[in-house]
Amino acid sequence: MRWPAVLALVLLSGVAQGAELKSPFRDCGECPEMVVVPAGSFLMGTVPRPGESLPRAEREPVLMRIPKSFALGRFELTRREFRAFLRESGYEAGVGCRVWNEAEERFELDRARGFNQPVEPRVPRDDHPANCLSFADAKAYVGWLAKKTGKPYRLPSEAEWEYAARAGSTARYPWGEGADEGCEFANLYDLAGHEHAAFAAEYAHCNDGFAGLAPVGALRPNAFGLFDMIGNVAEWVEDCYTDSYAGRPRDARAWIWTGGCNLHGLRGGSWLSPPAQARVAVRGAAEPTLRASDVGVRVALDLEAR
Ligand SMILES: [Ca+2]
Ligand SMILES: [Ca+2]
């Protein structure tokens, strides 16, 4: 089903009336800082422009309702936070990470690389996003965090992710329609990246200041106070990936099925993404075993138990 643009604008009035942003919080010293995302509704997907070709996965939008407020990581999970998990749990960060080979302009599996030995960032800092994490690593982390805090930490659903990333925006990007206006908000493949690597892909014609991974929160947040939803590292969501929204739950629940998924959703694109691949509705996916230098985690939390 296609949605006429005028109808879409009417439907997308969005965030619950009277919602006001609450202060961020964290449940322990090395726990992720959390932002309360208000309840609301939104159109998930992209209304195609006349003549525009978009993947089926996003071009048949669905009206979604997020019935209750929830909390989402203010930032991508950081190296410091993931290291606390490794230290306290004894979990081993595996090796074998998909990295970008600049010389050959392609991704390749580097069996010697992993969270502890990333190619990027070249000089890792505590506040860089944790990367080279598989879906299982992400689940292990949120499981540990839930046990440690006694609170229902988990991965975000795909609906929650897009709702939170849009933060009330109906545009192609949370900041508006143009990729070239996004360098204040998102670390993508931009002039800085192009000057450094110059691989053959479209780039944003502005300078976000980062040719590689940026520390979390280096750029401006969206209207919900969330940083780096678009770009930097792509983020795992709980949902199995499908190539259509037909039949999916129309609320905040993740769309998963017993027996496991061949592919899980990845959202937001990364610092390596051409801007068109980092639009807010673009649906990425990967095998749950994939560890990649451009993939990380953002945690979510149910609030009813608080
Ligand atoms: Ca960049
Ligand atoms: Ca991100």
Side-chain angles (χ1 to χ4, degrees):
M1 185 193 311
R2 295 196 172 194
W3 295 76
V6 173
L7 175 60
L9 288 174
V10 171
L11 288 171
L12 286 171
S13 52
V15 181
Q17 290 290 312
E20 58 183 63
L21 296 180
K22 300 192 169 90
S23 299
F25 64 90
R26 67 172 93 227
D27 283 322
C28 71
E30 290 181 306
C31 291
E33 194 172 2
M34 305 299 289
V35 165
V36 177
V37 176
S41 58
F42 75 111
L43 199 60
M44 186 177 185
T46 305
V47 179
R49 297 180 178 125
E52 184 179 21
S53 175
L54 291 170
R56 184 174 177 229
E58 60 167 301
R59 74 178 179 225
E60 296 167 351
V62 285
L63 180 60
M64 302 290 291
R65 194 172 72 92
I66 305 296
K68 290 184 285 196
S69 62
F70 63 99
L72 195 61
R74 190 181 185 200
F75 307 110
E76 297 157 337
L77 183 71
T78 65
R79 294 186 61 79
R80 176 173 184 258
E81 290 156 355
F82 192 73
R83 245 195 344 261
F85 158 61
L86 298 179
R87 187 180 64 240
E88 292 186 24
S89 69
Y91 189 87
E92 287 193 20
V95 290
C97 184
R98 188 188 70 170
V99 301
W100 177 250
N101 183 322
E102 280 183 8
E104 298 185 22
E105 295 194 11
R106 62 181 175 85
F107 286 103
E108 64 184 17
L109 180 68
D110 187 332
R111 297 186 188 283
R113 299 291 181 171
F115 169 78
N116 287 316
Q117 311 88 1
V119 169
E120 180 68 35
R122 289 162 197 220
V123 184
R125 291 171 29 170
D126 280 356
D127 59 351
H128 273 119
N131 60 354
C132 297
L133 305 186
S134 68
F135 184 80
D137 295 334
K139 293 286 282 185
Y141 177 80
V142 293
W144 168 81
L145 189 61
K147 198 169 169 189
K148 176 182 173 73
T149 60
K151 294 180 176 166
Y153 280 92
R154 56 180 174 77
L155 294 181
S157 69
E158 191 165 17
E160 289 171 331
W161 192 96
E162 185 170 326
Y163 173 70
R166 288 183 174 279
S169 169
T170 62
R172 298 297 163 110
Y173 302 92
W175 55 82
E177 294 293 344
D180 297 348
E181 287 80 58
C183 280
E184 286 179 86
F185 297 93
N187 177 18
L188 298 176
Y189 185 45
D190 66 323
L191 285 170
H194 186 69
E195 278 176 23
H196 173 75
F199 55 87
E202 283 297 313
Y203 55 94
H205 291 265
C206 56
N207 190 335
D208 61 38
F210 296 95
L213 259 182
V216 301
L219 299 171
R220 292 179 61 191
N222 71 11
F224 284 164
L226 299 163
F227 292 81
D228 305 308
M229 294 294 287
I230 305 297
N232 218 28
V233 283
E235 301 166 21
W236 288 111
V237 293
E238 181 71 27
D239 300 50
C240 299
Y241 176 79
T242 59
D243 62 2
S244 163
Y245 282 141
R248 67 150 298 126
R250 300 298 178 93
D251 56 29
R253 285 173 293 172
W255 195 12
I256 51 178
W257 37 86
T258 51
C261 311
N262 293 328
L263 298 171
H264 275 281
L266 278 174
R267 285 301 206 115
S270 77
W271 89 92
L272 290 164
S273 294
Q277 295 304 312
R279 290 176 295 99
V280 69
V282 168
R283 301 177 64 206
E287 302 83 11
T289 52
L290 175 79
R291 291 188 172 106
S293 62
D294 58 338
V295 170
V297 178
R298 186 182 303 261
V299 304
L301 169 67
D302 290 321
L303 290 175
E304 47 272 274
R306 292 182 67 81

